[in-house]
Amino acid sequence: MNKEIINLRHDLHKHPEVSNNEFETSKRISEFINALNPDEEIPLGKTSKVFIFDSKEEGKTVVFRCELDALPINENSSLDYTSVNKDVAHSCGHDGHMAILSALAQKISKNRPKKGKVILLFQAAEEVEQGARDVVENEEFQSLKPDYMFGLHNVPGKDLHQILLKKGSFAAASKGMTISLHGATSHAAEPEKGINPAIGISKIVNLLNGLIRNKDLFSALTLLTFIYIRMGEVSFGTSAGNAKIGITLRSFRNADMDLLTEKAEEIIESVCKKEKLKYNIEYNEVFPSLVNDDYCNSLIMNAAAENDYKIEHLNTAFKWSEDFGYYTEKYPCGFFGLGSGKKQPALHNSNYNFPDEIIETGANMFFKIYKQLNF
């Protein structure tokens, strides 16, 4: 195995940083990649960066992307390179994804493009949704005009080195919906003099559950998960006047997400009107569905075959979300899963540790895709 890349991965793992604070991580990556003499480095926002290998000849532009950020989780391990940052850990494997892209940079530095450009994107803040959105809205990134974009994610529970392929939707769209309900407090002995949101909450919960059970309304899997309901204060003499409901909406298809959002908002508006409640709705952590382009998916499949890696064709998309979906809305993209071991702890688990063995696997996959695009 490539000791230099493994040492890089261990160093990144030891010094994790949460979303939008990946300053030292970004600096460490710059040191490593710039030693390979890319033609250009461009900062995107506070910590995201692209490194460009440019043939200076007309041709396609392909982007390979990984993530910089770690999670606000305390690592539970006895590794020599355990996180030194309290309550921060690379429990999703982004240290491994960065190592994969760095290994790809090594390969490209020795096999530079003969036409077009190859761009390595080290992206901030994947875990909190806005990282990819910030990149696609960045004018400098837009000026690069990517023809294709590719990414991957390791998948625990699957055999080491196994490549997971899915046509169309690969990962679900999701969004967090926060409903604030505003009535009026009153003495608990005189609830009729106030507007208590309890009955409104009950109706909203029942009607939204009925909506999601109407499977004929949606074209693919669509979920609505209640996360929390908070109402009133701990004061037995006061009838509640305000409440908040947190819900996660999720669907495999963006059209279903649009429909689910529309119908849910109609229900909330109708109930609040009948119950004389004022309300407002906010959305957070919005992820579009990650949808693979057919041509890009075929390049991934060919790369797996050329590397003689075991392939699994997935029948259904993953229920989790990935901000790579922001790229698939704008550009032809390909995204695949990389098995990280049957016994590997789940993503976001405090015991999770990216396996070094699959760094070369991911780099080989990206490099074969690169070669197929006639670079």
Side-chain angles (χ1 to χ4, degrees), residues 71-85:
L71 288 157
I73 292 174
N74 189 48
E75 184 171 8
N76 179 24
S77 79
S78 56
L79 299 167
D80 293 339
Y81 50 91
T82 296
S83 170
V84 297
N85 296 334

Side-chain angles (χ1 to χ4, degrees), residues 272-290:
C272 288
K273 186 175 181 179
K274 289 176 183 175
E275 297 300 318
K276 298 182 172 58
L277 292 165
K278 295 178 181 179
Y279 75 96
N280 67 286
I281 300 171
E282 295 179 354
Y283 293 101
N284 300 96
E285 299 185 22
V286 179
F287 294 85
S289 176
L290 193 169

